Amino acid sequence: MSRRNTVLRSLHDVGLAAWFGGSLMGAVGLNGAAHDEGGTWATTARIAGSGWAKWSPVNAAAVAAHLFGSGGLLAANAPRVAVQQGVTASTLAKTVLTGAALGATAYSRVLGKKLEWAASSDPRDAEKAARHPVDTDKAQRHLACMQWAVPALTGGLVVLNALHGEQQRPSEQLHGVWDRARSLAPHMSLPGHLTH
């Protein structure tokens, strides 16, 4: 358990930081600026769509780095996850939250792309919009929710990451392993005590 996993941890942390920070900046900065400067829904959608299109490859790389780092760290820490009380639950919570964040990110991009096509004056985009029709009012409402769901979910991952860091302290590991052993063997006596 003392082996270093600097590369995996860096991929995990930097990827998550970019995913969280990019989604929060997009919701506050990019979407806010597009709303202020757009005037009409079509112009607002074009401004926001252009910004998100430029960010999407970076975001995809960040998500991929985070997932690769997460998988590697899970494999490296599998023995601790199995034996330390509380780590399995926090790992499961992190997995569920990661899945929800991935779903929200993908759904946001699909909605954003459809609105981008619907608002575009490019004939090729108009053709795509016709092939993938969208209720613009409904899509805008859903996107307004999703723009906050992604940073909330990834922010939750940041918090769980902090919890995992605390659980890796030697005193926490010792305590967690002891609690797990006691839960598996409820009649186990404390060191130095005799059972009757």
Side-chain angles (χ1 to χ4, degrees), residues 170-195:
S171 60
E172 286 289 316
Q173 288 185 41
L174 183 61
H175 182 69
V177 169
W178 176 249
D179 284 350
R180 173 60 62 92
R182 284 181 53 202
S183 71
L184 294 175
H187 302 295
M188 186 184 220
S189 61
L190 291 171
H193 289 85
L194 298 173
T195 54

Side-chain angles (χ1 to χ4, degrees), residues 39-78:
T40 66
W41 86 264
T43 308
T44 299
R46 279 197 297 274
I47 293 169
S50 176
W52 283 113
K54 288 180 181 1
W55 173 248
S56 283
V58 177
N59 193 54
V63 171
H66 173 69
L67 293 176
F68 184 83
S70 293
L73 288 175
L74 181 59
N77 289 294

